[in-house]
Amino acid sequence: MHDIKAIRENPDAFDAALARRGDAPVTAQVLALDEARRAKISAAETAQADQNKASKLVGAAKAKGDEAEFERLRTLVSDKKAEVTAMQAEAKDLDAQLTDMLARIPNLPADDAPDGADEADNVEVNRWGDVPEFDFTAKEHFEIASVAASMDFETAAKTSGARFVMLKGALARVHRALAQFMIDTHVDHNGLTEYMTPVLVRDEAMYGTDKLPKFGDDSYQTTNGWWLIPTSEVTLTYSVAGDVLDEAALPRRMTAHTLCFRSEAGSAGRDTSGMLRQHQFEKVEMVSVTHPDQSDDEQKRMLRCAEDMLERLGVPYRTVILCTGDMGFGARRTFDIEAWLPGQYAYREISSVSTTGDFQARRMNARFKPADGGKPQFVHTLNGSGLAVGRCLIAVLENGQQADGSVKLPEVLAPYLGGKTTLGVDGTLS
């Protein structure tokens, strides 16, 4: 949500910031609706004052025995009451229209977000690891001999339809080990507090984290109104909705491993092979709630947490800062980490780390109380994948593949796999 006062004070700057995203100017429509709303509120207040004044005179007219004046004033009070009720209803409707309009306007990009139209204009800021060189043709994850029999798309399609997968045996254990490794690393090394959250949420939680009203088609809603979370960003971030936190309690750093659900409504025909783009997947999420002065540094910290995860796993990656035309709706600045996938001979996104500033905090009224006094201020919220478990599995499998179809697994997973480090051609661990 945006600060209407800031739009009133500098509409040109607001439209200029939206133009960097490639969006059309909106302040003329916003301010016209705001002016109509304020005018209706003012008129209702004037009518209310007239009603109150007339109400005081009714008794005096009655006491004087002036029946004509009494009836005139009583009719005036009744008319003003109806007028006030009607204008208040109109003001409420205009306020709802303004709120809905503001809720559909994306966040304004940070000054240092590079300008650009699409992903081709993203800027690489870091690269780690040597791209592996094989003396054989690298395969995609689902083609590797040790993987193929345990990554079952046909049975998943029989039970659930397209874009689902069933993992079994050792492969399912490797997937579970990756999630456990991520959570343990975030808790033991990165200082995050682990949560286990619901995967069903109310409208308010989706709205507060900017998933509604604009992106309802991208998520799944149950028949009784709950939403299946697209990521635990929703539950972790919304946990501070309506709160006034002590400044000393900031930053609040959280992590959770959950199932995630996305309809992929706008991705028809994209990444249909393998498990790169699924309707149901698992992710370890990071969320930070911070003081505004700390949020930029916190984003850098979160980015390093995600990058370090790939370094521990030995997966080559590159980091890009997204241009204004490629950023998500709620983001002010986003860094994407792209893991190297030998089977595709390309870097593919495995994590996004974003700061939303006070964009989400305004929507869910999350504030903090300054230590030196003063009125409560909005917190800043940040979120990042730490990491997407399925995509990380793909990266581990493809980078660790061997000529005989086995997969050499990262040493850091050995404690979670009974000390074993190889996925054999027969699909078992050794």
Side-chain angles (χ1 to χ4, degrees):
M1 189 65 71
H2 297 281
D3 183 358
I4 187 63
K5 292 182 181 178
I7 297 176
R8 290 182 201 134
E9 292 169 0
N10 204 337
D12 291 341
F14 191 88
D15 280 340
L18 285 181
R20 293 181 62 207
R21 279 184 169 268
D23 287 358
V26 297
T27 55
Q29 302 97 299
V30 168
L31 294 178
L33 193 54
D34 178 50
E35 184 176 355
R37 177 186 67 93
R38 296 167 74 190
K40 193 61 66 175
I41 291 172
S42 178
E45 290 173 346
T46 299
Q48 180 75 66
D50 291 342
Q51 177 190 338
N52 293 341
K53 182 178 179 180
S55 295
K56 293 178 181 178
L57 296 175
V58 168
K62 184 70 172 178
K64 290 179 181 180
D66 188 342
E67 288 298 322
E69 181 65 3
F70 171 75
E71 290 298 333
R72 185 188 74 81
L73 289 170
R74 190 168 70 168
T75 300
L76 178 61
V77 169
S78 177
D79 290 345
K80 286 296 179 182
K81 183 176 181 181
E83 185 179 347
V84 168
T85 299
M87 286 192 290
Q88 286 178 337
E90 291 176 27
K92 185 176 180 180
D93 179 65
L94 289 168
D95 186 69
Q97 291 181 47
L98 179 61
T99 298
D100 183 69
M101 183 179 291
L102 290 173
R104 295 174 185 274
I105 300 172
N107 203 351
L108 304 184
D111 292 341
D112 60 352
D115 290 334
D118 53 38
E119 62 183 14
D121 295 318
N122 295 339
V123 178
E124 184 175 315
V125 296
N126 185 34
R127 188 176 289 226
W128 182 91
D130 297 323
V131 170
E133 295 183 4
F134 301 114
D135 57 5
F136 58 92
T137 301
K139 298 182 183 301
E140 291 198 60
H141 57 286
F142 54 89
E143 300 172 324
I144 300 171
S146 57
V147 174
S150 300
M151 188 174 283
D152 189 346
F153 297 98
E154 291 184 3
T155 303
K158 182 170 64 175
T159 62
S160 306
R163 297 207 177 185
F164 291 91
V165 66
M166 281 190 176
L167 304 180
K168 63 182 179 181
L171 191 61
R173 185 175 181 181
V174 174
H175 184 273
R176 174 164 51 88
L178 280 166
Q180 187 67 60
F181 161 71
M182 293 173 193
I183 281 288
D184 286 352
T185 302
H186 285 316
V187 171
D188 296 338
H189 298 280
N190 298 332
L192 279 63
T193 299
E194 181 180 2
Y195 286 72
M196 188 180 78
T197 81
V199 296
L200 292 167
V201 296
R202 301 183 300 170
D203 287 353
E204 294 88 342
M206 292 286 280
Y207 179 88
T209 52
D210 64 62
K211 308 301 178 281
L212 292 178
K214 194 167 184 179
F215 299 103
D217 289 344
D218 293 333
S219 296
Y220 292 108
Q221 188 175 28
T222 65
T223 55
N224 58 356
W226 280 322
W227 293 87
L228 289 164
I229 60 170
T231 161
S232 58
E233 171 204 343
V234 173
T235 43
L236 293 175
T237 305
Y238 198 73
S239 67
V240 299
D243 292 348
V244 180
L245 306 171
D246 289 332
E247 182 177 340
L250 302 176
R252 180 178 291 186
R253 295 169 175 146
M254 300 171 275
T255 187
H257 167 220
T258 64
L259 285 167
C260 304
F261 304 88
R262 293 182 187 173
S263 69
E264 301 288 356
S267 64
R270 295 176 58 196
D271 301 320
T272 55
S273 298
M275 60 179 290
L276 193 66
R277 192 179 295 274
Q278 300 278 285
H279 291 310
Q280 174 187 309
F281 56 97
E282 294 181 31
K283 195 204 287 193
V284 173
E285 188 76 6
M286 302 179 290
V287 164
S288 288
V289 179
T290 75
H291 188 287
D293 294 343
Q294 300 170 343
S295 64
D296 287 348
D297 286 340
E298 186 67 12
Q299 187 180 22
K300 295 174 185 175
R301 182 186 190 277
M302 292 175 71
L303 180 64
R304 275 306 303 152
C305 289
E307 290 176 333
D308 177 66
M309 200 72 68
L310 288 172
E311 291 171 17
R312 290 171 184 263
L313 290 165
V315 174
Y317 68 86
R318 72 171 194 153
T319 303
V320 299
I321 182 171
L322 299 194
C323 71
T324 52
D326 196 35
M327 288 196 307
F329 178 83
R332 294 190 70 242
R333 182 195 303 109
T334 296
F335 293 95
D336 271 8
I337 305 173
E338 300 173 348
W340 176 254
L341 301 186
Q344 295 190 15
Y345 205 76
Y347 287 99
R348 299 301 302 267
E349 178 199 336
I350 198 168
S351 172
S352 285
V353 179
S354 300
T355 177
T356 73
D358 63 4
F359 187 74
Q360 292 177 329
R362 287 180 178 278
R363 296 170 81 101
M364 59 185 186
N365 195 28
R367 298 171 293 164
F368 72 95
K369 185 187 307 179
D372 58 358
K375 59 188 296 186
Q377 302 175 31
F378 289 111
V379 297
H380 279 197
T381 60
L382 305 94
N383 62 83
S385 311
L387 304 160
V389 182
R391 291 197 172 194
C392 195
L393 176 66
I394 293 171
V396 164
L397 294 173
E398 292 196 12
N399 282 280
Q401 62 183 298
Q402 305 296 303
D404 65 354
S406 64
V407 174
K408 182 174 174 55
L409 300 169
E411 291 288 340
V412 292
L413 296 184
Y416 305 95
L417 300 173
K420 298 173 182 177
T421 57
T422 300
L423 183 64
V425 178
D426 62 354
T428 62
L429 291 168
S430 61

